[in-house]
Amino acid sequence: MTPSEAVLLARWPRIVRELMARTNLFPRRLRFTLSQRIDDLALSIMGSLVDATFSRSKRHAALEEVNLGLEKLRLLIRIAYEEECLSHGAFEHLVRELDECGRMVGG
């Protein structure tokens, strides 16, 4: 386990909680589509992080899954912002967090 993977694994649950708190406030029309996809993807990324951290045999594949998941999450966050579900400040904060996580993964 690299130091950045350990930091990211410790940091990601906080990001997931923050995302879930924000998606919980999405309007009803987007709660079961966009909101659910963001939550599911964030949790899936957490599973891939655990795989990458504790599995030597499929580590590279798991890190690729994390990186791909982060890209998908960035797009969904942008859509949420464009649909006015996120304030500019919240959008900016989340994008910075995701970019930092992407750098930690190495993508």
Side-chain angles (χ1 to χ4, degrees), residues 37-48:
R37 287 183 187 255
I38 289 172
D39 292 348
D40 289 345
L41 189 53
L43 292 169
S44 176
I45 291 169
M46 187 161 41
S48 296

Side-chain angles (χ1 to χ4, degrees), residues 4-21:
S4 63
E5 287 172 0
V7 170
L8 183 54
L9 186 60
R11 182 180 193 173
W12 192 253
R14 180 185 52 81
I15 294 170
V16 170
R17 285 191 303 276
E18 182 178 347
L19 279 169
M20 292 175 85

Side-chain angles (χ1 to χ4, degrees), residues 15-81:
I15 294 170
V16 170
R17 285 191 303 276
E18 182 178 347
L19 279 169
M20 292 175 85
R22 292 186 189 276
T23 58
N24 193 40
L25 301 174
F26 282 14
R28 177 175 276 192
R29 67 185 177 86
L30 296 173
R31 192 164 298 146
F32 298 106
T33 54
L34 186 59
S35 174
Q36 189 66 45
R37 287 183 187 255
I38 289 172
D39 292 348
D40 289 345
L41 189 53
L43 292 169
S44 176
I45 291 169
M46 187 161 41
S48 296
L49 279 170
V50 171
D51 289 345
T53 303
F54 295 106
S55 175
R56 293 178 188 201
S57 61
K58 20 177 225 176
R59 181 171 176 214
H60 182 69
L63 287 175
E64 286 181 4
E65 285 179 27
V66 170
N67 198 35
L68 183 61
L70 288 171
E71 285 300 321
K72 290 176 183 178
L73 195 54
R74 282 185 190 100
L75 289 173
L76 292 175
I77 296 296
R78 177 175 298 281
I79 291 169
Y81 173 68

